[in-house]
Amino acid sequence: MDRLIEAIEDKQNPSVVGLDPTDKLVPAPVMDAYAVEAEEQVESDDNLAATAAAAAYFEFNRAIIDAVYDIVPAVKPQIAMYEALGPAGIDCYTMTCEYAQSRGLYVIGDVKRGDIGSTAAAYAHHLTGFQGDDVWFEDAVTVNPYLGSDGIEPFMEAAGQADRDMFILVRTSNPSSSQIQELELADGGRVYEHVADLVEDWGKDSIGRFGYSRAGAVVGATHPKEGAALRERMPHTFFLVPGYGAQGGTAQSVAGMFDHNGSGAIVNSSRGIIGAWRNDEQYSDSLEPESALELVAVNARAAAADMRDQLRVALA
Amino acid sequence: MDRLIEAIEDKQNPSVVGLDPTDKLVPAPVMDAYAVEAEEQVESDDNLAATAAAAAYFEFNRAIIDAVYDIVPAVKPQIAMYEALGPAGIDCYTMTCEYAQSRGLYVIGDVKRGDIGSTAAAYAHHLTGFQGDDVWFEDAVTVNPYLGSDGIEPFMEAAGQADRDMFILVRTSNPSSSQIQELELADGGRVYEHVADLVEDWGKDSIGRFGYSRAGAVVGATHPKEGAALRERMPHTFFLVPGYGAQGGTAQSVAGMFDHNGSGAIVNSSRGIIGAWRNDEQYSDSLEPESALELVAVNARAAAADMRDQLRVALA
């Protein structure tokens, strides 16, 4: 986790921008421009809509990355948004990751993979690449713990080998996360607390020079009390905190997830930053695509700076 | 689940072939042939190895599909094996799914996705496609329940809309699955039993004409007793049973996961079928690629027929 922590210190900003484009978050003039271009250029009609959307998403992401790369340490593309487009979306995802890395950003691939043994080892190529070539351009990935350590160990090995990291789901930000994660166990704890102990244990041989292991945890901003308790319970586990902004989390609600040095966590905001342009009165659907992207960029930068400043105040 | 059950009845065979290629399961002459071809044809050196492997995997899959399509109802490609190659692997995955569907096979995409709200809705495009185009060519996908119903409902909606299905992880086949799934709850049950009840409930509005809902369950062949108990506990839930063969499951150990009519489950075998050629004495690394693929095909068909016959005996 050292590279991420260094990047956070360097920017003095423990926040990450979620690159989760949808056809509502990318301005209509940008979507439309690529729809026209695709129709002119693509030979067959197969997946015309997906190809056009993927091209629009990439330009949107690039505008945001260019706007924030010098004030945020990391980005977190959510691969589901890209998978929605099929293979064209996957190309856009890896291009986005590669471009973000080229701008010096630490890339957290929010892929939530989880499988067993040889299958988990195959997924771990997200971190190690294939036969010497990087194929995903991610510095860390998110992982689901439901299958136990068989699903985690191959990622831990890959992380060590490639100097990369992982974040394991412990307590997610959504309402129904309680259905399984909060179940009370016979020994008195909750399922997510048991998972927390497993994560702390899985990471123990990979603790870096800031005291945090390569096995991070996903802990939703919407659970401030549990988050603060988990901070105590998992002293060597760095937190990725989703749920800020649109989902209801605030700088105050996440403050308890940081350690006494103001480190130990990175907070994600997606819609609050990449969709900030939607509150800009200068926007209209009749803008040129370039002007729309300019508004996206200006508003994303302002929102990212605002989030950084709010976190600085809350952690001061 | 009606389409899958019909396909099983049609072939009188409740088994599914796992299409999980790796560089050890694809014969060396096939891997080598595409490595040479890629070197000659691909313009840049970027991802040469991955592009070649993806091409070899596709030819391997096609040979297996052609060899078994008339005796098995379904195939289950494990997307991790393809993600290991990056975007080139994803292209191979969707081409494999599309080819299998063109041969009349029901395709279970073993993707184990799981996320929340709008993100789960994005993943659900695996089932619905994008703006009218199918982009993944899957008839069902596997899903991880750790995030609760927020992660399931968008898939259920998509499944209904597209006449497709899903299989939710309940009790996986791997040894460490017990670390979370078998935790004892304060109310006396186990985590996986609670998940089983959730799955039965999630499916209840989608029960088809054979009495099974669109929300299936993944129940590992390595847990015969729990599997039989789950069969009683989940009367409207169809089971996808991995872990047969290489992982230790037998026709006897899965028999209890079927209902009294011999329906209610489909059993997966991967290495036992697609790697059966490795026990053929006629194989050698000096074979021509076409001859190696012919051996793959002959042995896969024999192994698939053998598995079918063993299941028929066990269920008689």
Side-chain angles (χ1 to χ4, degrees):
Chain A
M1 213 58 83
D2 291 353
R3 289 197 294 120
L4 175 60
I5 297 170
E6 272 165 19
I8 291 170
E9 305 251 305
D10 185 41
K11 307 273 173 66
Q12 286 291 303
N13 181 5
S15 72
V16 46
V17 175
L19 295 176
D20 310 347
T22 66
D23 56 5
K24 296 204 171 48
L25 283 166
V26 179
V30 180
M31 293 298 287
D32 294 346
Y34 283 93
V36 171
E37 194 176 311
E39 204 149 345
E40 286 166 359
Q41 294 189 350
V42 174
E43 285 168 30
S44 95
D45 270 2
D46 283 2
N47 302 331
L48 198 65
T51 305
Y57 285 10
F58 181 69
E59 291 309 317
F60 177 77
N61 287 342
R62 186 156 65 176
I64 289 165
I65 290 166
D66 287 345
V68 302
Y69 80 93
D70 60 330
I71 59 171
V72 304
V75 290
K76 181 177 77 63
Q78 165 53 260
I79 200 170
M81 303 309 177
Y82 305 85
E83 287 193 22
L85 310 181
I90 297 292
D91 288 338
C92 172
Y93 175 84
T94 58
M95 285 167 62
T96 297
C97 293
E98 188 173 15
Y99 186 71
Q101 284 190 342
S102 80
R103 283 299 215 167
L105 293 162
Y106 180 97
V107 176
I108 302 172
D110 199 352
V111 301
K112 296 190 177 63
R113 298 305 190 244
D115 215 298
I116 63 173
S118 60
T119 308
Y123 274 136
H125 286 271
H126 273 270
L127 298 180
T128 52
F130 183 74
Q131 294 188 8
D133 288 330
D134 200 351
V135 287
W136 287 102
F137 305 98
E138 298 154 327
D139 296 288
V141 290
T142 55
V143 178
N144 188 307
Y146 189 66
L147 296 101
S149 57
D150 296 338
I152 303 297
E153 277 157 15
F155 277 101
M156 282 306 293
E157 198 175 315
Q161 196 180 319
D163 187 20
R164 291 178 168 176
D165 308 297
M166 62 194 292
F167 292 93
I168 301 161
L169 303 186
V170 172
R171 187 76 179 91
T172 59
S173 56
N174 59 310
S176 78
S177 60
S178 59
Q179 287 177 333
I180 295 172
Q181 297 163 28
E182 273 197 9
L183 289 175
E184 199 180 335
L185 297 172
D187 75 3
R190 305 272 174 175
V191 166
Y192 77 89
E193 292 171 329
H194 182 82
V195 175
D197 294 344
L198 287 172
V199 171
E200 182 75 9
D201 186 58
W202 288 328
K204 69 175 187 298
D205 295 328
S206 68
I207 295 172
R209 58 197 176 80
F210 298 103
Y212 287 103
S213 81
R214 293 193 190 278
V218 176
V219 179
T222 47
H223 310 292
K225 265 176 65 180
E226 289 102 320
L230 287 173
R231 178 70 286 150
E232 298 296 314
R233 193 179 188 113
M234 311 173 78
H236 304 103
T237 305
F238 203 86
F239 288 179
L240 169 62
V241 184
Y244 185 94
Q247 286 185 54
T250 64
Q252 285 69 42
S253 65
V254 300
M257 301 184 196
F258 288 81
D259 65 23
H260 298 300
N261 305 316
S263 180
I266 188 163
V267 183
N268 180 75
S269 175
S270 299
R271 277 167 286 178
I273 292 174
I274 70 173
W277 63 270
R278 295 186 296 185
N279 299 321
D280 189 323
E281 287 177 4
Q282 291 181 63
Y283 177 77
S284 97
D285 281 351
S286 59
L287 285 178
E288 290 297 313
E290 297 72 25
S291 311
L293 285 175
E294 182 62 32
L295 278 192
V296 166
V298 168
N299 285 284
R301 185 177 176 88
D306 186 52
M307 180 179 175
R308 174 196 62 192
D309 297 342
Q310 289 191 28
L311 286 171
R312 282 183 185 167
V313 170
L315 296 175
Chain B
M1 211 60 79
D2 291 352
R3 289 198 295 119
L4 175 59
I5 296 171
E6 272 165 20
I8 291 170
E9 306 251 306
D10 185 41
K11 307 272 173 66
Q12 286 292 301
N13 181 5
S15 71
V16 47
V17 175
L19 295 175
D20 309 347
T22 66
D23 56 4
K24 295 201 173 51
L25 283 166
V26 179
V30 180
M31 293 297 288
D32 294 347
Y34 283 93
V36 171
E37 193 177 313
E39 204 148 344
E40 285 165 359
Q41 294 189 350
V42 173
E43 285 167 28
S44 96
D45 271 1
D46 284 2
N47 301 331
L48 197 64
T51 305
Y57 284 11
F58 181 69
E59 291 309 317
F60 176 78
N61 288 342
R62 186 155 65 175
I64 289 165
I65 290 167
D66 287 346
V68 302
Y69 79 95
D70 61 331
I71 58 170
V72 304
V75 290
K76 181 176 78 63
Q78 165 53 259
I79 201 169
M81 302 310 177
Y82 305 85
E83 287 193 20
L85 310 182
I90 297 292
D91 287 338
C92 171
Y93 175 84
T94 58
M95 285 167 63
T96 296
C97 294
E98 189 174 13
Y99 186 71
Q101 284 190 342
S102 80
R103 284 297 215 167
L105 292 163
Y106 179 97
V107 175
I108 302 172
D110 199 353
V111 302
K112 295 191 177 64
R113 299 304 191 243
D115 214 299
I116 64 173
S118 59
T119 307
Y123 274 135
H125 286 272
H126 273 269
L127 298 180
T128 52
F130 184 74
Q131 294 188 11
D133 289 330
D134 200 350
V135 287
W136 288 101
F137 306 98
E138 297 154 328
D139 295 287
V141 291
T142 55
V143 178
N144 188 307
Y146 189 67
L147 296 100
S149 58
D150 296 337
I152 303 298
E153 278 157 14
F155 277 100
M156 283 305 293
E157 198 173 316
Q161 197 180 319
D163 187 19
R164 291 179 168 176
D165 308 297
M166 62 193 291
F167 292 93
I168 301 161
L169 303 186
V170 172
R171 188 73 178 92
T172 58
S173 56
N174 58 311
S176 78
S177 59
S178 59
Q179 287 178 334
I180 294 172
Q181 298 164 27
E182 274 197 6
L183 289 175
E184 198 180 335
L185 297 172
D187 73 4
R190 305 271 175 175
V191 166
Y192 77 89
E193 292 171 328
H194 181 82
V195 174
D197 294 344
L198 287 172
V199 171
E200 183 75 10
D201 186 59
W202 287 330
K204 68 176 187 297
D205 295 328
S206 68
I207 295 174
R209 57 198 177 79
F210 299 102
Y212 288 102
S213 81
R214 293 193 190 279
V218 176
V219 180
T222 48
H223 310 291
K225 266 176 65 181
E226 290 103 319
L230 288 172
R231 177 70 287 150
E232 298 296 315
R233 194 179 188 116
M234 310 173 79
H236 305 103
T237 305
F238 203 86
F239 289 178
L240 169 62
V241 184
Y244 186 94
Q247 286 185 55
T250 63
Q252 284 69 42
S253 65
V254 302
M257 301 185 196
F258 288 81
D259 65 23
H260 299 301
N261 305 315
S263 179
I266 189 165
V267 183
N268 180 74
S269 176
S270 300
R271 277 168 283 176
I273 293 174
I274 70 172
W277 62 271
R278 296 185 297 184
N279 299 321
D280 189 323
E281 286 177 5
Q282 291 181 61
Y283 177 78
S284 97
D285 281 351
S286 59
L287 286 177
E288 290 298 311
E290 297 73 23
S291 310
L293 285 175
E294 181 61 32
L295 278 193
V296 166
V298 168
N299 285 285
R301 185 177 175 87
D306 186 52
M307 180 178 174
R308 176 196 62 191
D309 297 343
Q310 290 192 26
L311 286 171
R312 281 182 185 168
V313 169
L315 295 175

